Amino acid sequence: MDARGARGENWTIVTKTSSFTAPKGVPDYLPPGSAEFVAVRDGLIHAARLAGYGHVELPVFEQTALFARGVGESTDVVSKEMWTFADRNGESFTLRPEGTAGVMRAVIQHGLDKSGQLPVKLCYAGPFFRYERPQAGRYRQLQQVGIEAIGIDDPALDAEVIAIADAGFRALGLDGFRLEITSLGDETCRPQYRELLQEFLRALPLDEETQRRAEINPLRVLDDKRPEVRALTANAPLMIDHLSESAKAHFDEVLAHLDALGVAYVVNPRMVRGLDYYTKTTFEFVHDQLGAQSGIGGGGRYDGLMAELGGQPLSGIGFGIGVDRTVLALAAEGKSAADPARCQVYGVALGDEAKAKLVAVAGELRAAGISVDLAYGGRGMKGAMKGADRSGARYTLVLGDRDLAENTIGVKEMASGEQRSVPLDAVVTVLSEELGR
Ligand code: HAM
C-alpha cells in the first residue's frame, strides 16, 4: 500500500506480511531479561539523585534546527543519522538523537537558568534515535540515562559529573571499564590549535576524502582507525599540548578532584567525540569486552551551547550513559544487577473459597509493600507449584479448605522446602518482618 506524506512524498507501507517484527536495529526488552535493563537504568538514575539532580521528562522529537544548530551540521549524527520527518504543516521535526540540546532548549524556554539557583542540575532517561548501521550494541533506538549541570564553570562540578557515572557503574557491579579523559580547550586556544592541526594534515599524503574531512573537522582525522592514517598522524600536534593557561589550569584541577575522589582515569589526548558542542573537559567510559561498540558512556563540557541556542552565555557539563551497552557490559562480565525473582511471595489456593480469601491476602501483602503473584486458572497443585518455582519467590503460600477451617495458611520457604502453618490474620505481619519490610 502506498501513502502520501505531509509534503506529498510517497511512502511504502508493507501490508503483505503475515507477521510483524520490531523495526531493524531496535531491541525489545522482555522479562526476565528486562529486569536487568530496569536495574541498570534505575541504578544510574539513583547515582544522579544522590548528587541532587532533578528529573526532566522531555519530548522525544524536537524542531530539526535545534539539533542541526546544537549538535553541529558536520557531525555524522546530524548529517547521516537523524530520523527527520515533516508534520502535516510541513514543519521539520527530528526524533531526538541525543539529550543535551533538548535539555538546553527546555532550560532556556522555561527560564530555569534565571531562578537564582545555579547550577541547574537535571537528569533524564529514555530512548534516543540514530539511523546507524545496526550491529551488536549499536541500535537505531538506543536508551540513555543522562545528566546536565548548567550555569557554573567549576572544575569540581566536572569531577562530580564524572564521579556520578563512575559510581553508577560500580554500584551495578561493573568494573571492567576505564575512564578516558582529555581537554578540548576553549575559545582562546582551540581556533589556533585547529589551524595548526590543519596545516599539519595538509602536508600529509592523505586520500581526498580524508583531506576533505581535515578541512571540515580536523580532529576527526586523529580518530581515524586505519593503521596507515594512524602512522601518518602519529606526530600530529595535540590539543592538550596547546591549551591556554586557563584551560590547562581548569583541566589540572579536574584531574586533582578526580584523584581526591578516588576515580581512576587515563588521559587520552586523541579522544574524539561525535558531537560538536564540546569544550574543555571531555570524557568517555570504555569497556573492553564489547568489541567495536565499546563506549558505555560519554560526555563533557559545552560552554558555548546555551548561547548558540539563543540563551544566556552560560556553561554546562553532562554525560549520557548507554543503558543498552551497560546491560551488555554486565552480561560480558558475567554479572547481574537485577533481582532474578519476579516476586517475593507466590500464592496457591485449593478451592474457590480459599481462592477468594487468598486474593484478598495478596492485596493486603501488596499494600504492605510485598510483591505477590498468584497461581491463576485452577491449574492443580502440581502446575501451581511449578509456577511458584518459576516465579523465583522466596515464600509460597498454600491455602486449602482445611487451612481455611482452622484460620491458618501454609507458608513454604522455597530455599529449604520447610513448611509451617501461620494464623491467617498474622501472615502479613510475619512475612513483613521476615522480608524486612
Ligand atoms: P554520545 O557519546 O553520543 O553522547 O552517547 C552517549 C552514549 O550513548 C554512548 O557512550 C553509548 O553508550 C550510547 N550510544 C550512542 N549511540 C548508540 C547506539 N547507536 N546504540 C547503542 N548505544 C548508543 C551523547 O549523546 C551526549 N548527549 C552526552 C552528553 C550529555 N554530553 C554532555 N551531556
Side-chain angles (χ1 to χ4, degrees), residues 5-20:
R7 286 178 174 161
E9 65 273 53
N10 281 322
W11 295 332
T12 302
I13 300 176
V14 179
T15 53
K16 280 196 207 116
T17 178
S18 57
S19 62
F20 294 101

Side-chain angles (χ1 to χ4, degrees), residues 98-100 124 130 132 137-139 142 144 147-148 273 275 277-278 295-300 302 318-322 324-325:
E98 62 95 52
T100 313
Y124 52 89
R130 297 183 187 180
E132 296 202 72
R138 186 162 72 192
Y139 304 132
L142 57 120
Q144 281 186 10
I147 68 171
E148 314 291 349
R273 304 268 301 128
L275 312 160
Y277 47 61
Y278 290 114
I296 53 173
Y302 44 85
F319 67 61
I321 293 178
D324 315 270
R325 287 192 195 164

Side-chain angles (χ1 to χ4, degrees), residues 167-180:
F169 287 135
R170 290 191 195 282
L172 295 171
L174 214 59
D175 56 21
F177 64 88
R178 70 178 177 280
L179 162 64
E180 298 190 352

